């Protein structure tokens, strides 16, 4: 299978074909997609930015993992963020489709994993319908910024250089947590309420081993025990925690996760904005069947 890329030099655009030997990009193993782009960069020189447009039916999770994980391999390609476009006219119907055998429509996953969501075609719907689809998006994903547009007119500054996987401000995380709590105290508007966002406060500071035990339990172990329909699935995870270290002050550490992969990155304390209050450790989770009390129980049993 091949995939075309639009490549531009000095204002001129032309198509470049990438050969993907192992099927399409979203089903192929990591190396094919990344290597194809790296080869292209060797031929054409480094790009300022790569915008990868998936088909409307793609699940962004595996594609995100391909480019996100490759950072470890010293690649020049890294994942900046996921931008999702939702059609205001048909979005509500797509977002409310019942999951089949536990699998959600890719539209729900695209909203859940979006770091910036463009709610487009506002001119084709009434204000109440626009409000309804907006609320549905928010009830799934409370972390992403949502911009309502016509013809997807949006400032490029908003969708480029998102740094959604390598920068997280404690003030933004706190704001997300507060919004999450507020929103979760009202009934969410989408019909299937099993997909949503929750936030958890973790003890501060905490040690790395306890944190990793907790993350591995919620991402890998505990969900395998429960029945398919009820088990939780974490699709996206973000967090900022204060980790203890021997003989030195605790280190602010960022947690990022997609599906069952996560990464901890120690931040330079000087880069962490000094909030009015001391940094508290919290994580935000997006996925299905996320129950705060279930996670709190796991937290209590894991973090002593
Ligand atoms: N009225 C109105 N029409 C729009 C808007 N945005 C796009 N369109 C039109 O809708 C039609 C279909 O475009 P899209 O919905 O963007 O579809 P697409 O992105 O080409 O399709 P896929 O990439 O295959 O999903 C085109 O004729 C666009 O001009 C909008 O905000 N308002």
């Amino acid at each position: 299978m091949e995939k075309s890329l639009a490549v531009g030099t000095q204002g001129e655009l032309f198509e470049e074909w990438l050969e993907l030997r192992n099927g399409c990009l979203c089903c192929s193993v990591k190396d094919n997609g990344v290597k194809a782009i790296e080869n292209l960069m060797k031929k054409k020189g480094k790009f300022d930015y790569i915008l990868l447009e998936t088909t409307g039916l793609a699940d962004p999770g595996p594609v995100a993992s391909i480019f996100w994980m490759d950072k470890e391999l010293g690649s020049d390609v890294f994942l900046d963020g996921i931008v999702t476009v939702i059609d205001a006219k048909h979005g509500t119907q797509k977002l409310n489709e019942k999951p089949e055998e536990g699998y959600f429509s890719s539209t729900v996953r695209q909203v859940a994993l979006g770091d910036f969501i463009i709610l487009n075609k506002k001119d084709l719907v009434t204000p109440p319908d626009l409000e309804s689809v907006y609320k549905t998006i928010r009830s799934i994903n409370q972390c992403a910024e949502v911009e309502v547009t016509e013809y997807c007119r949006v400032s490029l500054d908003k969708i480029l250089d998102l740094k959604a996987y390598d920068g997280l401000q404690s003030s933004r995380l706190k704001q997300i947590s507060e919004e999450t709590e507020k929103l979760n105290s009202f009934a969410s508007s989408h019909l299937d309420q099993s997909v949503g966002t929750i936030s958890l406060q973790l003890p501060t500071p905490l040690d790395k081993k306890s944190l990793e035990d907790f993350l591995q339990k919620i991402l890998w172990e505990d969900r395998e025990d429960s029945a398919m329909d009820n088990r939780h699935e974490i699709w996206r995870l973000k967090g900022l925690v204060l980790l203890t270290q021997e003989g030195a002050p605790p280190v602010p550490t960022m947690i990022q996760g997609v599906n069952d992969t996560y990464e901890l990155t120690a931040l330079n304390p000087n880069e962490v904005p000094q909030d009015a209050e001391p940094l508290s450790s919290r994580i935000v989770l997006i996925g299905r069947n996320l129950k705060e009390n279930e996670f709190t129980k796991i937290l209590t049993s894991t973090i002593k």
Side-chain angles (χ1 to χ4, degrees):
M1 239 191 178
E2 287 179 327
K3 173 112 187 107
S4 77
L5 277 187
V7 180
T9 45
Q10 292 161 357
E12 184 194 344
L13 275 183
F14 53 93
E15 298 244 304
E16 178 78 28
W17 290 86
L18 295 181
E19 193 184 343
L20 301 171
R21 291 206 178 83
N22 200 14
C24 77
L25 193 58
C26 73
C27 325
S28 62
V29 286
K30 165 179 95 175
D31 284 334
N32 281 348
V34 175
K35 271 189 191 154
I37 288 179
E38 284 176 341
N39 286 341
L40 193 62
M41 295 206 299
K42 267 191 218 143
K43 276 202 274 172
K44 304 283 176 196
K46 285 197 179 145
F47 304 131
D48 295 329
Y49 201 91
I50 300 169
L51 275 173
L52 191 69
E53 186 188 359
T54 65
T55 69
L57 292 175
D59 174 355
V63 183
S65 305
I66 291 171
F67 293 100
W68 184 45
M69 284 173 60
D70 208 65
K71 191 168 115 189
E72 308 274 290
L73 303 176
S75 172
D76 282 337
V77 181
F78 66 93
L79 177 66
D80 183 43
I82 298 173
V83 178
T84 300
V85 181
I86 291 291
D87 187 318
K89 197 165 159 63
H90 301 109
T92 307
Q93 185 208 338
K94 285 273 168 210
L95 291 170
N96 287 325
E97 270 173 11
K98 280 220 161 309
E100 275 178 34
E101 293 173 9
Y103 291 100
F104 282 87
S105 79
S106 48
T107 315
V108 174
R109 303 243 327 150
Q110 287 166 359
V111 166
L113 290 164
D115 298 299
F116 190 93
I117 298 173
I118 300 175
L119 176 53
N120 190 42
K121 303 194 184 177
K122 71 167 184 194
D123 57 311
L124 297 184
V125 289
T126 61
D129 285 349
L130 187 64
E131 168 92 7
S132 160
V133 67
Y134 182 90
K135 278 191 175 154
T136 306
I137 290 170
R138 267 277 162 261
S139 66
I140 295 171
N141 183 338
Q142 285 157 45
C143 295
E145 197 177 320
V146 182
E147 177 128 337
V148 179
T149 63
E150 270 176 49
Y151 293 92
C152 281
R153 272 185 218 109
V154 64
S155 155
L156 283 184
D157 295 348
K158 295 201 169 171
I159 58 167
L160 303 184
D161 290 323
L162 290 172
K163 298 193 173 60
Y165 285 76
D166 67 7
L168 196 59
Q169 298 191 335
S170 63
S171 51
R172 175 69 188 128
L173 199 67
K174 183 162 177 284
Q175 189 194 345
I176 293 168
S177 301
E178 283 167 3
E179 284 165 12
T180 309
E181 277 153 30
K182 217 188 302 163
L183 249 130
N184 285 348
S185 61
F186 299 105
S188 51
S189 61
H190 66 292
L191 296 178
D192 192 314
Q193 306 215 347
S194 63
V195 178
T197 310
I198 65 163
S199 74
L200 294 174
Q201 183 97 37
L202 307 188
T204 310
L206 79 165
D207 67 288
K208 193 172 175 188
K209 164 99 179 53
S210 301
L211 175 67
E212 297 229 47
D213 284 350
F214 171 65
L215 293 175
Q216 288 165 16
K217 269 198 171 157
I218 62 170
L219 288 172
W220 305 338
E221 293 168 26
D222 279 8
R223 63 167 217 193
E224 281 167 14
D225 302 339
S226 31
M228 178 75 188
D229 283 349
N230 300 324
R231 74 177 195 189
H232 72 252
E233 279 175 26
I234 297 168
W235 297 345
R236 185 77 167 95
L237 186 158
K238 298 178 192 208
L240 197 55
V241 295
L242 211 49
L243 289 189
T244 50
Q245 50 172 2
E246 237 173 75
V251 199
T253 303
M254 179 179 66
I255 314 170
Q256 291 281 358
V258 180
N259 294 345
D260 51 8
T261 311
Y262 72 89
E263 184 182 71
L264 302 181
T265 313
L267 302 177
N268 180 341
N270 304 330
E271 284 166 11
V272 177
Q274 297 300 309
D275 284 340
E277 58 183 278
L279 176 68
S280 60
S281 297
R282 51 178 104 224
I283 55 173
V284 174
L285 312 170
I286 303 178
R288 67 180 289 226
N289 291 333
L290 304 182
K291 294 178 203 85
E292 202 179 320
N293 55 358
E294 187 193 329
F295 292 118
T296 310
K297 257 194 230 157
I298 301 173
L299 190 64
T300 324
S301 68
T302 320
I303 298 179
K304 301 276 184 289

